[in-house]
mmCIF file of all heavy atoms in Angstrom:
data_model
loop_
_atom_site.group_PDB
_atom_site.id
_atom_site.type_symbol
_atom_site.label_atom_id
_atom_site.label_comp_id
_atom_site.label_asym_id
_atom_site.label_seq_id
_atom_site.Cartn_x
_atom_site.Cartn_y
_atom_site.Cartn_z
ATOM 1 N N ALA R 45 100.152 112.632 110.814
ATOM 2 C CA ALA R 45 99.840 111.551 111.755
ATOM 3 C C ALA R 45 100.892 111.507 112.850
ATOM 4 O O ALA R 45 102.080 111.716 112.603
ATOM 5 C CB ALA R 45 99.776 110.208 111.036
ATOM 6 N N LYS R 46 100.461 111.247 114.060
ATOM 7 C CA LYS R 46 101.394 111.084 115.182
ATOM 8 C C LYS R 46 102.140 109.759 115.046
ATOM 9 O O LYS R 46 103.332 109.674 115.319
ATOM 10 C CB LYS R 46 100.610 111.122 116.497
ATOM 11 C CG LYS R 46 101.426 110.884 117.733
ATOM 12 C CD LYS R 46 102.299 112.053 118.036
ATOM 13 C CE LYS R 46 102.982 111.854 119.377
ATOM 14 N NZ LYS R 46 103.874 112.931 119.688
ATOM 15 N N VAL R 47 101.425 108.721 114.594
ATOM 16 C CA VAL R 47 102.003 107.387 114.450
ATOM 17 C C VAL R 47 101.481 106.771 113.160
ATOM 18 O O VAL R 47 100.295 106.863 112.857
ATOM 19 C CB VAL R 47 101.603 106.469 115.640
ATOM 20 C CG1 VAL R 47 102.063 105.046 115.420
ATOM 21 C CG2 VAL R 47 102.118 107.012 116.951
ATOM 22 N N CYS R 48 102.371 106.138 112.424
ATOM 23 C CA CYS R 48 102.000 105.291 111.291
ATOM 24 C C CYS R 48 102.938 104.105 111.367
ATOM 25 O O CYS R 48 104.153 104.259 111.187
ATOM 26 C CB CYS R 48 102.142 106.038 109.965
ATOM 27 S SG CYS R 48 101.606 105.070 108.536
ATOM 28 N N LYS R 49 102.387 102.928 111.688
ATOM 29 C CA LYS R 49 103.251 101.765 111.912
ATOM 30 C C LYS R 49 102.574 100.506 111.412
ATOM 31 O O LYS R 49 101.356 100.457 111.205
ATOM 32 C CB LYS R 49 103.596 101.628 113.387
ATOM 33 C CG LYS R 49 102.401 101.303 114.253
ATOM 34 C CD LYS R 49 102.802 101.133 115.707
ATOM 35 C CE LYS R 49 101.582 100.706 116.505
ATOM 36 N NZ LYS R 49 101.927 100.219 117.812
ATOM 37 N N SER R 50 103.365 99.483 111.243
ATOM 38 C CA SER R 50 102.844 98.184 110.824
ATOM 39 C C SER R 50 103.466 97.092 111.681
ATOM 40 O O SER R 50 104.518 97.283 112.296
ATOM 41 C CB SER R 50 103.150 97.933 109.350
ATOM 42 O OG SER R 50 104.544 97.907 109.124
ATOM 43 N N LYS R 51 102.794 95.950 111.685
ATOM 44 C CA LYS R 51 103.300 94.788 112.424
ATOM 45 C C LYS R 51 102.550 93.562 111.938
ATOM 46 O O LYS R 51 101.492 93.667 111.309
ATOM 47 C CB LYS R 51 103.118 94.969 113.921
ATOM 48 C CG LYS R 51 101.668 95.124 114.322
ATOM 49 C CD LYS R 51 101.522 95.468 115.785
ATOM 50 C CE LYS R 51 100.051 95.766 116.059
ATOM 51 N NZ LYS R 51 99.849 96.598 117.185
ATOM 52 N N ASN R 52 103.106 92.408 112.225
ATOM 53 C CA ASN R 52 102.408 91.170 111.905
ATOM 54 C C ASN R 52 101.164 91.026 112.777
ATOM 55 O O ASN R 52 101.156 91.426 113.938
ATOM 56 C CB ASN R 52 103.298 89.953 112.143
ATOM 57 C CG ASN R 52 104.325 89.771 111.060
ATOM 58 O OD1 ASN R 52 104.193 90.278 109.965
ATOM 59 N ND2 ASN R 52 105.368 89.022 111.374
ATOM 60 N N ALA R 53 100.143 90.446 112.198
ATOM 61 C CA ALA R 53 98.964 90.023 112.945
ATOM 62 C C ALA R 53 98.891 88.510 112.756
ATOM 63 O O ALA R 53 97.987 87.985 112.129
ATOM 64 C CB ALA R 53 97.722 90.719 112.411
ATOM 65 N N GLY R 54 99.910 87.834 113.239
ATOM 66 C CA GLY R 54 100.086 86.422 112.964
ATOM 67 C C GLY R 54 100.976 86.265 111.737
ATOM 68 O O GLY R 54 101.382 87.246 111.124
ATOM 69 N N PRO R 55 101.297 85.049 111.338
ATOM 70 C CA PRO R 55 102.229 84.838 110.225
ATOM 71 C C PRO R 55 101.639 85.122 108.845
ATOM 72 O O PRO R 55 102.387 85.246 107.880
ATOM 73 C CB PRO R 55 102.598 83.363 110.347
ATOM 74 C CG PRO R 55 101.451 82.737 111.063
ATOM 75 C CD PRO R 55 100.910 83.801 111.985
ATOM 76 N N PHE R 56 100.323 85.270 108.765
ATOM 77 C CA PHE R 56 99.691 85.409 107.455
ATOM 78 C C PHE R 56 99.032 86.762 107.213
ATOM 79 O O PHE R 56 98.493 86.992 106.134
ATOM 80 C CB PHE R 56 98.647 84.300 107.261
ATOM 81 C CG PHE R 56 99.227 82.930 107.451
ATOM 82 C CD1 PHE R 56 98.894 82.174 108.564
ATOM 83 C CD2 PHE R 56 100.133 82.400 106.537
ATOM 84 C CE1 PHE R 56 99.436 80.920 108.755
ATOM 85 C CE2 PHE R 56 100.675 81.144 106.721
ATOM 86 C CZ PHE R 56 100.333 80.403 107.834
ATOM 87 N N GLU R 57 99.041 87.633 108.202
ATOM 88 C CA GLU R 57 98.385 88.939 108.057
ATOM 89 C C GLU R 57 99.265 90.052 108.601
ATOM 90 O O GLU R 57 100.119 89.827 109.462
ATOM 91 C CB GLU R 57 97.050 88.961 108.803
ATOM 92 C CG GLU R 57 96.011 88.040 108.215
ATOM 93 C CD GLU R 57 94.692 88.129 108.937
ATOM 94 O OE1 GLU R 57 94.684 88.078 110.185
ATOM 95 O OE2 GLU R 57 93.672 88.277 108.251
ATOM 96 N N LEU R 58 99.010 91.257 108.097
ATOM 97 C CA LEU R 58 99.653 92.478 108.576
ATOM 98 C C LEU R 58 98.602 93.412 109.140
ATOM 99 O O LEU R 58 97.450 93.400 108.686
ATOM 100 C CB LEU R 58 100.348 93.217 107.428
ATOM 101 C CG LEU R 58 101.605 92.600 106.861
ATOM 102 C CD1 LEU R 58 101.992 93.298 105.563
ATOM 103 C CD2 LEU R 58 102.736 92.711 107.876
ATOM 104 N N THR R 59 99.001 94.231 110.092
ATOM 105 C CA THR R 59 98.146 95.288 110.609
ATOM 106 C C THR R 59 98.899 96.605 110.464
ATOM 107 O O THR R 59 100.093 96.684 110.760
ATOM 108 C CB THR R 59 97.800 95.056 112.095
ATOM 109 O OG1 THR R 59 96.936 93.932 112.176
ATOM 110 C CG2 THR R 59 97.094 96.246 112.697
ATOM 111 N N VAL R 60 98.185 97.604 109.981
ATOM 112 C CA VAL R 60 98.735 98.953 109.852
ATOM 113 C C VAL R 60 97.888 99.871 110.733
ATOM 114 O O VAL R 60 96.652 99.811 110.692
ATOM 115 C CB VAL R 60 98.696 99.431 108.386
ATOM 116 C CG1 VAL R 60 99.163 100.857 108.279
ATOM 117 C CG2 VAL R 60 99.532 98.537 107.512
ATOM 118 N N ASP R 61 98.552 100.698 111.532
ATOM 119 C CA ASP R 61 97.871 101.656 112.397
ATOM 120 C C ASP R 61 98.279 103.068 111.996
ATOM 121 O O ASP R 61 99.469 103.337 111.788
ATOM 122 C CB ASP R 61 98.262 101.449 113.864
ATOM 123 C CG ASP R 61 97.888 100.078 114.386
ATOM 124 O OD1 ASP R 61 96.729 99.677 114.179
ATOM 125 O OD2 ASP R 61 98.746 99.420 114.996
ATOM 126 N N VAL R 62 97.287 103.961 111.914
ATOM 127 C CA VAL R 62 97.537 105.385 111.700
ATOM 128 C C VAL R 62 96.820 106.105 112.833
ATOM 129 O O VAL R 62 95.596 105.986 112.974
ATOM 130 C CB VAL R 62 97.019 105.865 110.329
ATOM 131 C CG1 VAL R 62 97.307 107.345 110.147
ATOM 132 C CG2 VAL R 62 97.643 105.057 109.201
ATOM 133 N N VAL R 63 97.586 106.844 113.657
ATOM 134 C CA VAL R 63 97.054 107.474 114.856
ATOM 135 C C VAL R 63 97.320 108.981 114.789
ATOM 136 O O VAL R 63 98.422 109.407 114.422
ATOM 137 C CB VAL R 63 97.717 106.884 116.129
ATOM 138 C CG1 VAL R 63 97.111 107.486 117.386
ATOM 139 C CG2 VAL R 63 97.603 105.370 116.141
ATOM 140 N N PHE R 64 96.318 109.755 115.182
ATOM 141 C CA PHE R 64 96.431 111.211 115.220
ATOM 142 C C PHE R 64 96.359 111.679 116.658
ATOM 143 O O PHE R 64 95.621 111.115 117.465
ATOM 144 C CB PHE R 64 95.307 111.850 114.400
ATOM 145 C CG PHE R 64 95.407 111.524 112.933
ATOM 146 C CD1 PHE R 64 94.835 110.368 112.434
ATOM 147 C CD2 PHE R 64 96.113 112.336 112.076
ATOM 148 C CE1 PHE R 64 94.957 110.038 111.084
ATOM 149 C CE2 PHE R 64 96.236 112.021 110.736
ATOM 150 C CZ PHE R 64 95.660 110.880 110.242
ATOM 151 N N ASP R 65 97.123 112.718 117.007
ATOM 152 C CA ASP R 65 97.064 113.225 118.373
ATOM 153 C C ASP R 65 96.040 114.338 118.536
ATOM 154 O O ASP R 65 95.787 114.787 119.646
ATOM 155 C CB ASP R 65 98.444 113.673 118.872
ATOM 156 C CG ASP R 65 99.072 114.767 118.042
ATOM 157 O OD1 ASP R 65 98.468 115.209 117.051
ATOM 158 O OD2 ASP R 65 100.188 115.193 118.395
ATOM 159 N N ASP R 66 95.415 114.760 117.451
ATOM 160 C CA ASP R 66 94.393 115.803 117.481
ATOM 161 C C ASP R 66 93.068 115.207 117.006
ATOM 162 O O ASP R 66 92.928 114.878 115.827
ATOM 163 C CB ASP R 66 94.828 116.953 116.565
ATOM 164 C CG ASP R 66 93.813 118.071 116.465
ATOM 165 O OD1 ASP R 66 92.685 117.929 116.983
ATOM 166 O OD2 ASP R 66 94.137 119.103 115.844
ATOM 167 N N PRO R 67 92.095 115.048 117.910
ATOM 168 C CA PRO R 67 90.818 114.439 117.517
ATOM 169 C C PRO R 67 90.109 115.186 116.384
ATOM 170 O O PRO R 67 89.462 114.560 115.545
ATOM 171 C CB PRO R 67 89.985 114.473 118.806
ATOM 172 C CG PRO R 67 90.999 114.515 119.900
ATOM 173 C CD PRO R 67 92.153 115.306 119.352
ATOM 174 N N ASP R 68 90.234 116.507 116.348
ATOM 175 C CA ASP R 68 89.610 117.263 115.262
ATOM 176 C C ASP R 68 90.250 116.927 113.916
ATOM 177 O O ASP R 68 89.557 116.737 112.916
ATOM 178 C CB ASP R 68 89.708 118.766 115.536
ATOM 179 C CG ASP R 68 89.023 119.581 114.451
ATOM 180 O OD1 ASP R 68 87.819 119.339 114.206
ATOM 181 O OD2 ASP R 68 89.703 120.428 113.832
ATOM 182 N N LEU R 69 91.568 116.838 113.892
ATOM 183 C CA LEU R 69 92.266 116.458 112.661
ATOM 184 C C LEU R 69 91.862 115.047 112.241
ATOM 185 O O LEU R 69 91.604 114.789 111.068
ATOM 186 C CB LEU R 69 93.779 116.559 112.859
ATOM 187 C CG LEU R 69 94.646 116.146 111.678
ATOM 188 C CD1 LEU R 69 94.322 116.978 110.438
ATOM 189 C CD2 LEU R 69 96.119 116.277 112.045
ATOM 190 N N TYR R 70 91.794 114.133 113.205
ATOM 191 C CA TYR R 70 91.333 112.767 112.916
ATOM 192 C C TYR R 70 89.952 112.781 112.262
ATOM 193 O O TYR R 70 89.724 112.111 111.254
ATOM 194 C CB TYR R 70 91.304 111.936 114.204
ATOM 195 C CG TYR R 70 90.474 110.691 114.102
ATOM 196 C CD1 TYR R 70 90.947 109.558 113.444
ATOM 197 C CD2 TYR R 70 89.185 110.649 114.635
ATOM 198 C CE1 TYR R 70 90.171 108.413 113.331
ATOM 199 C CE2 TYR R 70 88.410 109.510 114.534
ATOM 200 C CZ TYR R 70 88.901 108.397 113.871
ATOM 201 O OH TYR R 70 88.138 107.274 113.756
ATOM 202 N N ARG R 71 89.023 113.556 112.823
ATOM 203 C CA ARG R 71 87.661 113.621 112.266
ATOM 204 C C ARG R 71 87.665 114.187 110.846
ATOM 205 O O ARG R 71 86.936 113.715 109.975
ATOM 206 C CB ARG R 71 86.752 114.451 113.173
ATOM 207 C CG ARG R 71 86.322 113.711 114.428
ATOM 208 C CD ARG R 71 85.254 114.470 115.199
ATOM 209 N NE ARG R 71 85.755 115.686 115.820
ATOM 210 C CZ ARG R 71 86.365 115.740 116.997
ATOM 211 N NH1 ARG R 71 86.541 114.637 117.682
ATOM 212 N NH2 ARG R 71 86.777 116.886 117.488
ATOM 213 N N ARG R 72 88.530 115.168 110.597
ATOM 214 C CA ARG R 72 88.620 115.738 109.240
ATOM 215 C C ARG R 72 89.186 114.715 108.264
ATOM 216 O O ARG R 72 88.711 114.597 107.134
ATOM 217 C CB ARG R 72 89.462 117.022 109.252
ATOM 218 C CG ARG R 72 88.767 118.148 109.962
ATOM 219 C CD ARG R 72 89.449 119.478 109.778
ATOM 220 N NE ARG R 72 90.880 119.369 109.570
ATOM 221 C CZ ARG R 72 91.785 120.085 110.202
ATOM 222 N NH1 ARG R 72 91.443 120.994 111.077
ATOM 223 N NH2 ARG R 72 93.067 119.921 109.957
ATOM 224 N N VAL R 73 90.203 113.982 108.685
ATOM 225 C CA VAL R 73 90.775 112.932 107.827
ATOM 226 C C VAL R 73 89.724 111.862 107.563
ATOM 227 O O VAL R 73 89.527 111.423 106.428
ATOM 228 C CB VAL R 73 92.042 112.321 108.464
ATOM 229 C CG1 VAL R 73 92.474 111.068 107.730
ATOM 230 C CG2 VAL R 73 93.165 113.348 108.502
ATOM 231 N N LYS R 74 89.018 111.451 108.595
ATOM 232 C CA LYS R 74 87.975 110.435 108.443
ATOM 233 C C LYS R 74 86.911 110.898 107.452
ATOM 234 O O LYS R 74 86.448 110.119 106.609
ATOM 235 C CB LYS R 74 87.356 110.125 109.814
ATOM 236 C CG LYS R 74 86.321 109.027 109.784
ATOM 237 C CD LYS R 74 85.804 108.778 111.191
ATOM 238 C CE LYS R 74 84.692 107.747 111.177
ATOM 239 N NZ LYS R 74 84.138 107.534 112.517
ATOM 240 N N ALA R 75 86.528 112.169 107.531
ATOM 241 C CA ALA R 75 85.481 112.714 106.661
ATOM 242 C C ALA R 75 85.880 112.720 105.182
ATOM 243 O O ALA R 75 85.017 112.669 104.311
ATOM 244 C CB ALA R 75 85.105 114.120 107.112
#
Side-chain angles (χ1 to χ4, degrees):
K46 176 72 173 178
V47 173
C48 183
K49 66 178 184 166
S50 62
K51 61 187 173 204
N52 284 340
F56 305 109
E57 293 182 312
L58 288 168
T59 291
V60 176
D61 299 311
V62 180
V63 183
F64 295 87
D65 60 359
D66 177 352
D68 182 56
L69 178 58
Y70 162 77
R71 284 189 291 276
R72 291 190 331 228
V73 169
K74 183 179 176 183

